[in-house]
């Protein structure tokens, strides 16, 4: 995928619908009504939240949204790839490209069992979350 690039989002004028779709894919079902608010938070001019898009031939096929926790530590709030483009290395590509844009020492997130393999393949250390809920087994991922 030579034409694949990662770019920070500054405005969404030409890709807003696709970016919102990908944010929706990254959210739990009970939070999917908040995509507009989520996108608006990323577009605020601050260093607290940052959104990046993966573009393939200028089409948005993936997103990764981060929260700055301070001290060069970031938390992945949202990560998604267009369903027909998944399992082609795009998610890993996005995570590998982040240091080009950020002073990044620690990257972490929480996930459920379904995505543990993805984060392990991306060289994250994965630990069972001791605060798991009765409805879902959660994992803490750190790189």
């Amino acid at each position: 995928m030579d034409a694949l690039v990662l770019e920070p989002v500054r405005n969404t004028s030409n890709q807003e619908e696709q970016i919102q779709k990908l944010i929706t894919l990254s959210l739990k079902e009970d939070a999917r009504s908040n995509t507009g608010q989520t996108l608006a938070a990323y577009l605020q001019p601050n260093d607290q939240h940052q959104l990046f898009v993966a573009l393939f031939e200028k089409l948005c096929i993936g997103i990764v949204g981060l929260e700055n926790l301070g001290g060069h530590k970031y938390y992945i709030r949202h990560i998604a790839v267009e369903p027909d483009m998944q399992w082609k290395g795009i998610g890993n590509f996005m995570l590998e490209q982040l240091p080009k844009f950020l002073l990044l020492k620690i990257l972490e997130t929480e996930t459920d069992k379904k995505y543990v393999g993805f984060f392990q393949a991306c060289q994250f250390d994965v630990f069972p979350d001791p605060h798991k809920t009765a409805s879902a087994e959660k994992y803490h991922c750190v790189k």
Side-chain angles (χ1 to χ4, degrees):
M1 293 209 172
D2 293 333
L4 185 62
V5 295
L6 187 73
E7 293 182 356
V9 173
R10 307 245 187 273
N11 69 58
T12 60
S13 57
N14 60 344
Q15 302 265 357
E16 184 167 347
E17 188 175 314
Q18 179 64 9
I19 291 170
Q20 282 195 350
K21 175 186 172 189
L22 290 166
I23 289 173
T24 300
L25 287 174
S26 75
L27 294 170
K28 295 181 182 104
E29 230 172 278
D30 60 350
R32 290 189 172 168
S33 63
N34 299 330
T35 58
Q37 291 174 317
T38 301
L39 181 55
Y42 282 121
L43 296 177
Q44 294 298 312
N46 65 52
D47 292 330
Q48 186 65 27
H49 297 95
Q50 295 180 314
L51 182 65
F52 296 86
V53 292
L55 301 172
F56 179 67
E57 297 178 357
K58 298 186 180 181
L59 296 174
C60 177
I61 60 167
I63 58 109
V64 59
L66 305 174
E67 179 181 352
N68 184 343
L69 301 177
H72 309 296
K73 183 177 179 179
Y74 290 84
Y75 189 89
I76 300 169
R77 290 281 170 207
H78 304 94
I79 186 166
V81 172
E82 187 64 41
D84 61 339
M85 300 295 285
Q86 291 179 356
W87 303 109
K88 296 180 180 181
I90 296 164
N92 189 40
F93 170 83
M94 291 189 299
L95 296 176
E96 286 178 348
Q97 295 298 305
L98 289 173
K100 290 182 177 181
F101 301 96
L102 306 166
L103 290 172
L104 182 62
K105 289 186 180 177
I106 299 172
L107 187 59
E108 63 182 57
T109 195
E110 180 183 277
T111 193
D112 56 25
K113 193 170 189 168
K114 181 177 179 180
Y115 297 105
V116 164
F118 166 74
F119 285 103
Q120 288 173 325
C122 293
Q123 307 303 312
F124 280 73
D125 293 322
V126 178
F127 308 96
D129 189 338
H131 302 61
K132 69 180 180 179
T133 64
S135 62
E137 197 169 348
K138 294 289 181 187
Y139 296 84
H140 187 79
C141 310
V142 180
K143 182 175 182 176

